Amino acid sequence: MVLIKEFRIVMPLSLEEYEIAQMYVVMKMQQQSKAPTWLTKFASPNALVVREEAWNAYPKCRSVIKCPGFSKFIMTVDTIHKADNGYSENVHGLSKQQLAARQVEIIDIASAASDYWCYIVGRSTVDLSKFKSARTDRGPLLKGWKDQCSPVMTAYKLVTIDVPYWGFGGKLEQALMAGERALFLESHRNYFAWIDEWFGLTTEMMRELERESDYSLNMKLGQPCAAERSWITPEESLIGGEKSIA
């Protein structure tokens, strides 16, 4: 069964600020991805390598993730960013059949709720219901903040997962969806929690910081440095285009 879920993450940022925040968090965060222990019983570590292709035409982005060890597996993440507070319907232009299968969840970055996957991907330590930005005077994010703050924007993330394997496919689809939700929640918490670090930067300044960060990382890994690379969102980013989820 194909899972289709649309996550709506409302942010107290403008569209332009969100792009800078995204670039900054990509540079700062080091992603680690874990496979459920039960999955390792079905496949070797080499089979758990994933490959990603990503396209960015901000405010629209798309990421397609495949696993060579499971040729039928595919996960796509389509993102549309809009200057609203999360109430736009069908921004992805889904068909009636897709809409009937789609689930919608609005993610509140100020919520204190967390789960197993939040701790796996790295739980943010900042309480946004108490946090106030020194540079922008924004915050804290109190009850009802999504309908009151200005500026405001929403990342509409449509996740489609298909793992058509009998016996464990459905379980893996559910685990991957839960993992994606946690990645979205924790990364977007950091977008705002680190606002005083990135606020005032420009895309040109971020590109330069990115090149410096890439150079430093490649030197540590002993790899040749690439002059340029495509930009993708932190939730879906992969160094070198692939990584192991074992």
Side-chain angles (χ1 to χ4, degrees):
M1 179 180 177
V2 179
L3 287 186
I4 303 176
K5 190 164 187 178
E6 181 181 295
F7 296 96
R8 301 178 183 179
I9 309 105
V10 183
M11 299 294 294
L13 307 172
S14 68
L15 287 174
E16 295 75 20
E17 290 170 343
Y18 181 95
E19 185 176 17
I20 298 298
Q22 174 179 285
M23 296 170 74
Y24 184 83
V25 173
V26 167
M27 183 187 69
K28 186 170 179 178
M29 291 180 67
Q30 182 177 4
Q31 300 288 340
Q32 289 187 343
S33 185
K34 299 291 185 180
T37 56
W38 57 265
L39 179 60
T40 61
K41 298 178 182 178
F42 294 93
S44 66
N46 289 337
L48 300 179
V49 171
V50 296
R51 291 194 176 94
E52 177 187 63
E53 295 178 338
W55 297 265
N56 181 23
Y58 190 83
K60 296 183 179 181
C61 307
R62 164 168 260 221
S63 179
V64 177
I65 300 171
K66 298 180 180 180
C67 180
F70 297 95
S71 59
K72 297 180 182 179
F73 163 85
I74 186 169
M75 178 168 70
T76 63
V77 182
D78 291 291
T79 306
I80 294 179
H81 306 89
K82 288 179 65 68
D84 64 18
N85 52 7
Y87 294 117
S88 295
E89 293 299 332
N90 199 17
V91 298
H92 296 278
L94 302 182
S95 66
K96 290 183 178 180
Q97 183 179 6
Q98 290 173 317
L99 287 173
R102 179 196 65 171
Q103 299 176 344
V104 175
E105 179 179 350
I106 297 178
I107 293 179
D108 185 355
I109 63 170
S111 170
S114 61
D115 57 19
Y116 164 82
W117 288 101
C118 288
Y119 289 98
I120 289 295
V121 304
R123 180 73 165 86
S124 173
T125 58
V126 179
D127 184 349
L128 297 183
S129 67
K130 298 178 181 178
F131 169 80
K132 190 177 184 65
S133 166
R135 299 187 65 186
T136 67
D137 203 37
R138 299 178 200 173
L141 302 182
L142 303 176
K143 184 178 180 179
W145 70 269
K146 296 189 294 294
D147 297 321
Q148 302 169 8
C149 71
S150 180
V152 67
M153 55 80 59
T154 302
Y156 292 83
K157 292 186 171 291
L158 184 72
V159 182
T160 305
I161 303 176
D162 187 15
V163 188
Y165 292 94
W166 183 86
F168 70 93
K171 190 174 183 179
L172 180 54
E173 287 171 352
Q174 294 290 342
L176 289 170
M177 192 66 78
E180 287 297 289
R181 179 193 182 280
L183 283 170
F184 298 156
L185 173 58
E186 298 305 329
S187 61
H188 283 75
R189 279 173 170 163
N190 288 330
Y191 282 16
F192 187 56
W194 296 341
I195 188 172
D196 289 339
E197 299 180 29
W198 58 257
F199 186 78
L201 297 176
T202 64
T203 54
E204 292 74 18
M205 294 166 68
M206 281 305 312
R207 296 296 184 194
E208 181 59 31
L209 289 173
E210 177 197 10
R211 284 190 286 269
E212 293 174 2
S213 178
D214 283 350
Y215 178 82
S216 177
L217 177 61
N218 285 325
M219 289 295 289
K220 289 180 180 180
L221 296 177
Q223 298 176 351
C225 300
E228 298 288 344
R229 68 175 171 85
S230 299
W231 198 266
I232 53 180
T233 61
E235 306 88 66
E236 299 122 33
S237 62
L238 300 175
I239 296 175
E242 67 175 45
K243 66 178 177 181
S244 171
I245 61 172

